[in-house]
Amino acid sequence: MNILIADDELDMLKILKVYFEKEGYTVFLAEDGEKALDIFYQEKIDLAVIDWMMPHVSGVSVCKEIKQKGDTKVLMLTAKSEVENELYALNIGADDYVKKPFHPGILLTRAKKLLKDDQSILFEDLKIDLQAKKVFKNDVDLNLTKKEMDLISCFIRNRGKILSRENLLMTVWGIDYEGDDRTVDTHIRRLREKIGEELIQTHRGLGYSFVKNK
């Protein structure tokens, strides 16, 4: 899973990078809000750890934009201790709020909880368990193939975003895939037959998107 950490304290970035990478996460670092947003749009980010006060673009603005564009989890960091600031952070969409100073292990634990909470998604009669890599419909295991599970996981991580054929090929089949790009259409057709036609939307000439959670 991909973690974006944005903070203008470089020593803090280095320490948190070590903690998260030891747990197997891929970490992207940003020293200011502008770079944080650049990374967010370039990479598939599962969790953004954002400092409240940063140069160029504030952490508050970064949080708002991330939340407007998708379902990426956001954990805000701040030296501000007033209750009003914590409430404000949560009201603009932050999923959690950690006050400075803090122990990196505590932050890691809070981050892992946010990511774990995001592992099971419900869509009416459909349950998608990303951790177990299983999808159930009316509590019946649909026994998706590996590629079907990889596809639906990619869609879930990018809910509301339009993913092109090329994007899906790169993410699910890998950079070395040399087959027909129409295999994406074939796998999506089979996936729709199992989970329901309405969950994967076609955007003619652009690609596909997964509906947002209701």
Side-chain angles (χ1 to χ4, degrees):
M1 301 182 81
N2 294 336
I3 310 296
L4 166 62
I5 306 176
D7 196 309
D8 58 355
E9 296 181 36
L10 299 185
D11 290 340
M12 174 68 70
L13 287 180
K14 293 175 183 177
I15 292 171
L16 293 179
K17 186 174 189 290
V18 170
Y19 269 79
F20 277 91
E21 287 186 340
K22 280 185 177 180
E23 294 296 316
Y25 297 109
T26 300
V27 179
F28 298 90
L29 301 179
E31 301 88 12
D32 59 64
E34 186 176 3
K35 185 175 180 181
L37 288 174
D38 287 342
I39 293 173
F40 172 71
Y41 284 113
Q42 292 170 10
E43 307 293 340
K44 180 181 72 66
I45 301 299
D46 299 291
L47 170 68
V49 180
I50 307 294
D51 186 34
W52 184 294
M53 298 294 294
M54 289 190 294
H56 305 307
V57 180
S58 73
V60 170
S61 296
V62 173
C63 176
K64 287 181 178 179
E65 186 159 343
I66 287 176
K67 283 301 185 180
Q68 286 173 354
K69 300 298 181 181
D71 295 320
T72 298
K73 297 287 186 179
V74 174
L75 192 160
M76 293 290 292
L77 304 176
T78 183
K80 296 176 179 291
S81 59
E82 292 83 358
V83 173
E84 290 80 5
N85 291 314
E86 183 172 359
L87 290 173
Y88 181 73
L90 297 175
N91 285 332
I92 64 173
D95 298 281
D96 202 355
Y97 180 100
V98 174
K99 299 173 186 175
K100 293 181 176 181
F102 56 82
H103 188 282
I106 297 296
L107 177 65
L108 178 62
T109 299
R110 300 276 283 271
K112 289 169 73 173
K113 184 178 186 303
L114 284 179
L115 292 168
K116 182 179 180 182
D117 289 345
D118 201 35
Q119 294 297 296
S120 185
I121 300 101
L122 299 177
F123 288 89
E124 297 183 357
D125 59 352
L126 201 70
K127 178 182 178 182
I128 303 168
D129 191 330
L130 297 179
Q131 190 169 26
K133 295 187 177 181
K134 288 183 177 292
V135 177
F136 301 86
K137 191 166 188 177
N138 295 318
D139 296 324
V140 176
D141 189 345
L142 295 180
N143 294 312
L144 298 188
T145 66
K146 183 181 184 304
K147 280 291 183 286
E148 289 168 348
M149 192 66 221
D150 289 344
L151 262 178
I152 200 169
S153 296
C154 182
F155 278 125
I156 287 295
R157 299 297 186 199
N158 294 277
R159 270 171 286 176
K161 295 182 180 179
I162 299 174
L163 303 176
S164 67
R165 244 193 231 104
E166 293 74 18
N167 189 305
L168 290 168
L169 276 174
M170 181 74 71
T171 304
V172 177
W173 279 264
I175 194 171
D176 297 325
Y177 178 75
E178 296 180 352
D180 187 350
D181 64 0
R182 291 290 173 180
T183 191
V184 173
D185 303 331
T186 301
H187 279 78
I188 286 179
R189 175 175 54 79
R190 293 172 180 166
L191 185 57
R192 279 171 165 162
E193 290 173 355
K194 295 180 179 181
I195 67 173
E197 296 286 337
E198 72 283 357
L199 292 181
I200 301 176
Q201 300 175 339
T202 299
H203 302 268
R204 192 173 298 276
L206 298 175
Y208 300 95
S209 69
F210 202 85
V211 297
K212 287 193 173 186
N213 205 348
K214 297 179 180 179

